[in-house]
Amino acid sequence: MTDRPPRIVALGGGGFSMEPKNPLMDDYVLELSGAERPKICFLPTASGDADHYVVRFYRRFGAGRSEPSHVSLFRRDTSAGSVEGDLERHLLSQDVIYVGGGSLKSLLGAWRAHGLDRTLRRAWQQGVVLCGLSAGSLCWFTDSVTAFHGPSERVRGLGLLPYSNCVHYDGEPERRAAYRGMVSTGLQAGFGVDDGAALSFVGDRLDEVITSKPKATAYEVRLGRRGQVHERRMEARYLGEQRTGDRADDDGPSLLRAAPDPFAASGATDGPLVGEDPGAAARAVAA
């Protein structure tokens, strides 16, 4: 048990698997742990525990900068760093748990079969930093849009974050359009996140948007009172800048500065929004 608050970093895309020469996002995650040599465990479940994915993880997080390990659920793995036996104990002892991309449905099914859905909730509550890209980002939310198996579809996630989420927002226009369509027909308010951008949460409230590319960003996406989908570009902090603080955008004041909850900031002009009561959404998922 640590005195760290619950934290999740949800990448739209990026990190060691998509940006092998750009360590900004992964360095940010390690720094959040506050540990001098963080213990970090990789869950490549969504890829079927692909060997090449595990190798790339160790290339980024090895060499003494951290204490890396990984958990394979789809096969017996006796390679260095692989964990078997008491998975819950191992995961709860980590500083960071990093979830890879791939099939969201396969990831959630395997986790639930092995009880890791409950373990990861406990890890989050105890201050282990949870992060991931693509499926490893979508999984933390109440609702998400996956396109791994063909046309975009809605999938219910673990519900740690009471919003909806759409990744690869700048790179997959079909998924972006499908997400907007789902919001227009009742999917709860949420976020569209570019490759090279990430949502950083403290508890279930958005703390900041950070990026590993200067032009990457994220959007709040919600349904207005008149039935129109509103998509607003959010302020983001580029991790490559030497100065601290958020980067100013060209389309108005920062929602992050206005309120910890971006949806609460928007509600004054466009009616009540799903997400104003995060506890209610989380309870609905648990039920």
Side-chain angles (χ1 to χ4, degrees), residues 25 27 42-43 52 58 76 116 143 147 214 236 243 279:
M25 201 72 78
D27 286 348
F42 181 45
L43 300 182
H52 65 85
Y58 282 99
R76 297 295 298 272
L116 292 194
D143 282 296
R243 64 178 177 82

Side-chain angles (χ1 to χ4, degrees), residues 146-168:
T146 180
F148 186 84
H149 295 282
S152 298
E153 59 181 314
R154 173 182 176 178
V155 174
R156 301 280 282 184
L158 299 182
L160 303 185
L161 301 173
Y163 313 101
S164 60
N165 183 21
C166 183
V167 296
H168 307 307

Side-chain angles (χ1 to χ4, degrees), residues 161-235:
L161 301 173
Y163 313 101
S164 60
N165 183 21
C166 183
V167 296
H168 307 307
Y169 211 58
D170 59 336
E172 297 184 12
E174 296 84 1
R175 191 194 304 233
R176 184 173 188 163
Y179 179 48
R180 289 173 58 92
M182 292 178 194
V183 172
S184 74
T185 56
L187 183 71
Q188 66 180 309
F191 304 94
V193 191
D194 290 349
D195 291 337
L199 308 169
S200 184
F201 290 87
V202 177
D204 59 10
R205 294 301 181 103
L206 183 64
D207 183 52
E208 64 174 342
V209 178
I210 50 100
T211 77
S212 58
K213 300 191 295 187
K215 295 183 179 180
T217 193
Y219 301 82
E220 79 166 295
V221 183
R222 59 186 179 84
L223 185 64
R225 180 180 296 171
R226 298 174 182 83
Q228 295 179 320
V229 175
H230 294 264
E231 182 180 279
R232 178 175 174 81
R233 179 185 175 99
M234 305 184 73
E235 280 196 53

Side-chain angles (χ1 to χ4, degrees), residues 207-287:
D207 183 52
E208 64 174 342
V209 178
I210 50 100
T211 77
S212 58
K213 300 191 295 187
K215 295 183 179 180
T217 193
Y219 301 82
E220 79 166 295
V221 183
R222 59 186 179 84
L223 185 64
R225 180 180 296 171
R226 298 174 182 83
Q228 295 179 320
V229 175
H230 294 264
E231 182 180 279
R232 178 175 174 81
R233 179 185 175 99
M234 305 184 73
E235 280 196 53
R237 179 168 67 89
Y238 173 48
L239 297 172
E241 291 181 349
Q242 295 301 313
R243 64 178 177 82
T244 59
D246 292 335
R247 183 180 79 238
D249 284 327
D250 298 329
D251 57 352
S254 168
L255 294 175
L256 295 176
R257 291 194 184 109
D261 181 354
F263 303 112
S266 303
T269 59
D270 220 351
L273 293 168
V274 175
E276 289 181 330
D277 180 8
R283 290 192 294 273
V285 174

